[in-house]
């Protein structure tokens, strides 16, 4: 409903990609994959984009899989907390 806001937000998100920094693009993509995998409800298309781009610039499927495995633990911890709360209600 607010295209200007969305455009500004996308520009802000892309800022680290526009600047040359210490991290190389492979590392930036792996970090972005981890972030998007932890919270895919925020931007599923971003996860797909970074997966494709990482593989295109030479990141191995094994490295991507390891990042996904490391980031998947976050969901399990959330599940643990939820189950603990539910157990108290029983």
């Amino acid at each position: 409903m607010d295209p200007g806001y969305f455009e500004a937000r996308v520009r802000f998100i892309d800022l680290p990609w526009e600047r040359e920094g210490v991290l190389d693009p492979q590392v930036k993509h792996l970090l972005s994959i981890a972030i998007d995998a932890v919270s895919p409800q925020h931007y599923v298309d971003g996860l797909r984009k970074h997966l494709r781009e990482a593989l295109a610039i030479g990141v191995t499927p094994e490295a991507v899989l390891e990042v996904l495995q490391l980031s998947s633990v976050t969901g399990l911890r959330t599940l643990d907390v939820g189950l603990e709360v539910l157990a108290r209600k029983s």
Side-chain angles (χ1 to χ4, degrees):
M1 292 180 59
D2 188 346
Y5 174 81
F6 184 75
E7 182 181 324
R9 187 169 186 269
V10 169
R11 277 196 320 267
F12 176 74
I13 291 169
D14 287 343
L15 184 60
W17 290 94
E18 295 169 3
R19 295 185 287 164
E20 288 200 28
V22 176
L23 301 176
D24 65 57
Q26 289 187 342
V27 173
K28 285 183 178 182
H29 279 296
L30 288 171
L31 288 168
S32 294
I33 289 167
I35 292 165
D36 287 341
V38 168
S39 56
Q41 71 276 12
H42 295 264
Y43 194 46
V44 174
D45 291 339
L47 177 58
R48 289 186 183 106
K49 172 186 176 243
H50 289 294
L51 285 165
R52 282 193 298 269
E53 291 182 12
L55 294 170
I57 63 171
V59 174
T60 65
E62 294 81 9
V64 171
L65 179 60
E66 189 166 347
V67 165
L68 291 171
Q69 289 169 338
L70 288 165
S71 61
S72 70
V73 175
T74 301
L76 295 175
R77 290 187 180 137
T78 302
L79 178 63
D80 287 342
V81 171
L83 291 175
E84 180 184 321
V85 171
L86 288 173
R88 285 189 212 150
K89 291 285 186 181
S90 300

